[in-house]
Amino acid sequence: MNRNISRRSLLRAVGGGAALAGTAAFAAACGGGESATSADPKVVRWWDYTTDQAPVDNMLKKFMAENPDIKVERRSIPYDDTKRILLQSAGQGSLPDIVVVNNPDHQQFAELGIAEDITDRLKTWRQTDLYVQAAVQSATWNGRNYGLPQQVNCLALWYNTEALEQAKLEVPTDWASLRAAAKALTKSPRYGMAYSAPNNQSAVYQWLPTLWQAGGDLTDLGGPAANKALQFWTDLMKDGSVSREALNWSQPDIGTEFGQQRAAMMINGPFMVPTLKKDAPDLKWGVAQLPKDVAAASCLGGENYMIIKGGNVDGAWKLLEWTQKPENLVEYLKATGGLPSRSDIAGDAAWADEVSQVFVEQLKVARPRAYGTKYPEIATAVTTAIQSALSGTAPVDKALSTAATAVKPLLPK
């Protein structure tokens, strides 16, 4: 296991010492003790933050049945705690062998020396060109590759078919029609629209398409396009079309609101399809491209597989390679609602239905969160701006101006 993870790097990565100070983990992180990471060739330790446990469990059971010489030990950790736990475990030398990470965080883990460089393995494997290249880029740092996509997704507009029909409304295609529909569909206890804006990266993931649709980017948060985009979200909440609880809701939470008909429309990804089919089987709903302003845009989401440096790298690679066999990958993605991440599976019947086709088409205008190794810090500043504006603690222009000042030195040169 790499021991070149300094105290300064750890503190910067977790955003300060408060999260670790006074704990045994902090002492271990700063002490650089010997690694406890397993290199047992018969055991692969796997961590992920998947909410729906069954698809991962079923996949790993199938792998072990086909590879009885390897035992996979799985640990499920909360999404909000993933980064902190990984960094604490790096200091303690108790990292797993393979971990599922949010794709915009991948470059930072590579920079810290946690991730195994698998560039040469991929060259021998000769399948990287089959993947959505924006997702491959998220696992690339300094020209070297440190992982592969686990799954890809993007955001689209979900709508309650019956609610729109009763209100005699068409599916919104631009901001003006979205704003009008959200207001018309709001009738207590139902809100017209739902988005997710909690105090984590989910808020940025959900808001970035709006920023890009307005013609803006994180490189110019103080500009008119960024102000227009955040004001649009703020106005939806201010006029009562979006619940103030959106400041606390995760994407599964707004899926629940939609499924229980407490929201007539929502911004969400294909990962909600299996959940809605199970929890709201009688709900009539559809999916459409995100309404645009000056441009069409969505945000590339998903997770990557990252092999940990210094552990059971060969066993982890064997498992990773097995998960990417088309028959195994299609089975997993179908169970989780993920989109086809490889061109050789895109034509599979799993994505032939109308809803899947909308997401596959939306994926064509989905952009990655490719803002370098400091993206987690950038996202924190943007999240603060979003929450400040939506909660009314700061006007939109002030919130974004503060974020722009924080973000500018963090962007790649």
Side-chain angles (χ1 to χ4, degrees), residues 194-212:
Y195 52 63
S196 173
N199 189 26
N200 60 46
Q201 286 191 22
S202 291
V204 186
Y205 175 56
Q206 286 248 321
W207 180 67
L208 273 174
T210 308
L211 174 63
W212 293 328

Side-chain angles (χ1 to χ4, degrees), residues 50-392:
T50 308
T51 303
D52 189 356
Q53 305 290 321
V56 176
D57 284 338
N58 292 338
M59 179 176 66
L60 297 182
K61 286 177 182 177
K62 183 179 178 181
F63 170 79
M64 287 187 284
E66 295 181 16
N67 299 271
D69 57 322
I70 297 179
K71 179 182 178 182
V72 182
E73 296 178 349
R74 182 193 177 201
R75 177 184 175 187
S76 180
I77 52 183
Y79 168 76
D80 289 345
D81 296 333
T82 299
K83 186 175 176 182
R84 174 183 58 80
I85 291 172
L86 273 172
L87 292 169
Q88 288 179 340
S89 298
Q92 294 172 317
S94 56
L95 285 164
D97 300 304
I98 187 169
V99 63
V100 175
V101 298
N102 196 20
N103 58 28
D105 290 336
H106 206 137
Q107 290 181 331
Q108 186 182 43
F109 290 125
E111 180 191 35
L112 289 171
I114 294 174
E116 175 73 13
D117 184 341
I118 61 171
T119 306
D120 293 337
R121 291 177 186 263
L122 292 179
K123 287 180 179 178
T124 301
W125 192 49
R126 299 175 64 182
Q127 296 186 34
T128 314
D129 289 345
L130 295 171
Y131 288 83
V132 175
Q133 289 306 295
V136 173
Q137 290 166 14
S138 72
T140 303
W141 180 66
N142 277 356
R144 306 292 291 180
N145 191 284
Y146 293 87
L148 274 177
Q150 186 214 32
Q151 63 174 349
V152 296
N153 57 65
C154 63
L155 297 169
L157 179 71
W158 297 61
Y159 58 90
N160 183 312
T161 305
E162 292 180 340
L164 261 67
E165 289 176 350
Q166 290 170 5
K168 298 181 179 179
L169 293 169
E170 298 293 329
V171 178
T173 58
D174 56 27
W175 284 14
S177 57
L178 177 62
R179 178 81 185 275
K183 192 168 185 178
L185 292 168
T186 298
K187 185 177 180 180
S188 184
R190 184 186 68 196
Y191 289 88
M193 180 70 183
Y195 52 63
S196 173
N199 189 26
N200 60 46
Q201 286 191 22
S202 291
V204 186
Y205 175 56
Q206 286 248 321
W207 180 67
L208 273 174
T210 308
L211 174 63
W212 293 328
Q213 289 159 13
D217 205 343
L218 295 185
T219 55
D220 187 22
L221 279 174
N227 277 268
K228 181 181 181 182
L230 189 51
Q231 191 65 57
F232 181 69
W233 262 34
T234 302
D235 289 344
L236 283 168
M237 183 172 287
K238 188 179 293 185
D239 71 12
S241 298
V242 172
S243 171
R244 288 183 61 83
E245 286 302 312
L247 289 161
N248 303 309
W249 282 338
S250 66
Q251 292 178 126
D253 289 336
I254 62 173
T256 297
E257 295 301 303
F258 182 78
Q260 295 298 315
Q261 301 192 56
R262 293 190 293 267
M265 298 182 293
M266 69 171 175
I267 298 172
N268 225 322
F271 38 79
M272 290 307 305
V273 172
T275 301
L276 276 173
K277 285 184 176 180
K278 181 181 69 174
D279 295 344
D282 297 326
L283 183 68
K284 302 295 188 294
W285 53 270
V287 178
Q289 305 291 304
L290 286 175
K292 64 181 181 179
D293 185 40
V294 300
S298 185
C299 193
L300 179 74
E303 288 76 36
N304 292 341
Y305 288 119
M306 182 174 75
I307 295 176
I308 300 299
K309 189 173 184 178
N312 182 4
V313 174
D314 289 339
W317 171 254
K318 185 175 183 178
L319 173 54
L320 192 160
E321 188 177 15
W322 180 91
T323 67
Q324 301 307 293
K325 291 181 178 179
E327 63 272 22
N328 299 327
L329 185 56
V330 169
E331 183 178 350
Y332 176 76
L333 293 177
K334 185 176 180 180
T336 61
L339 299 178
S341 52
R342 294 171 51 126
S343 59
D344 58 346
I345 65 172
D348 190 274
W351 295 283
D353 62 284
E354 185 177 347
V355 170
S356 295
Q357 286 300 303
V358 170
F359 277 107
V360 169
E361 190 66 22
Q362 183 80 90
L363 191 61
K364 294 178 181 178
V365 295
R367 306 183 194 181
R369 288 160 284 178
Y371 296 98
T373 61
K374 305 295 193 301
Y375 176 76
E377 297 165 70
I378 292 170
T380 296
V382 178
T383 298
T384 300
I386 293 171
Q387 288 231 318
S388 297
L390 296 182
S391 66

